[in-house]
Amino acid sequence: IKPNRTIKLETEYANQFNAGGNDALIDGIRGSSDFKTGSWQGYQNKDLIATVDLGSLQSFDTVEVSFLEDQRSWIFYPTEVECYVAINKTFRKISPTYKIDSQRASSETKIKTLQFNLENIASRYIKIIAKNLGDLPAWHLGAPYQGKAWIFVDEIAIK
């Protein structure tokens, strides 16, 4: 973890999928396509809301965030991902808002890395909001059991 960099999670991750704790999303360790390795942080039926504090005003070009999809294990991409930046605590949204459609059955395990291009923006805070699918789709085997989707996230990279 880079010196002076911290993260505040506004939603609580699942204890069994903690990826090492609060700093897991900024530790530089990327998860593999197997969620059972312990390097993914999981959120069931909750949106991810994470704010990275760089410690000081810094310039950077991109923010990346990676998600896992393994529908057989009830892990879906978030339906929407947004990025915000702030010099103090007044956030402004960075385009685009990524909208991801997981409304199709897939037996593949996939990793999707979303990139927000900021083109040399100076900021101290970066907030990522990823919206959870919530109820499993009607076609999913877990739907009759009122199953709830997971979001698995592994890294917020600032370059």
Side-chain angles (χ1 to χ4, degrees):
I1 299 172
K2 292 192 176 188
N4 302 322
R5 188 171 289 186
T6 60
I7 188 166
K8 178 184 175 203
L9 302 173
E10 294 181 39
T11 45
E12 191 174 335
Y13 51 81
N15 188 49
Q16 69 269 37
F17 300 113
N18 63 38
N22 286 339
D23 294 333
L25 301 183
I26 58 170
D27 65 3
I29 300 169
R30 294 198 176 260
S32 71
S33 59
D34 182 358
F35 76 92
K36 293 175 244 151
T37 62
S39 55
W40 290 94
Q41 205 166 74
Y43 297 80
Q44 187 176 35
N45 200 34
K46 294 179 184 176
D47 297 341
L48 165 71
I49 304 171
T51 303
V52 178
D53 181 350
L54 301 175
S56 63
L57 189 63
Q58 296 180 22
S59 295
F60 48 90
D61 293 318
T62 61
V63 174
E64 293 180 354
V65 59
S66 297
F67 298 95
L68 179 73
E69 182 175 71
D70 183 349
Q71 292 181 0
R72 295 165 298 184
S73 300
W74 300 18
I75 302 167
F76 285 77
Y77 290 139
T79 58
E80 191 174 291
V81 181
E82 298 173 325
C83 179
Y84 297 82
V85 294
I87 293 173
N88 46 35
K89 291 284 184 160
T90 305
F91 286 91
R92 70 179 175 91
K93 188 173 168 228
I94 299 298
S95 292
T97 295
Y98 285 98
K99 296 188 185 271
I100 306 167
D101 183 13
S102 290
Q103 295 295 328
R104 83 267 179 263
S106 174
S107 60
E108 294 179 57
T109 300
K110 298 173 281 203
I111 297 172
K112 183 182 289 282
T113 300
L114 304 177
Q115 182 172 308
F116 295 91
N117 294 315
L118 298 125
E119 298 183 20
N120 206 27
I121 286 182
S123 181
R124 176 173 175 174
Y125 301 97
I126 300 158
K127 181 182 281 193
I128 299 292
I129 299 175
K131 308 242 179 201
N132 191 298
L133 179 64
D135 294 336
L136 293 174
W139 51 260
H140 194 276
L141 292 174
Y145 306 103
Q146 300 173 339
K148 304 295 182 188
W150 287 86
I151 292 176
F152 272 51
V153 59
D154 78 331
E155 196 66 22
I156 299 171
I158 297 115
K159 300 178 179 181

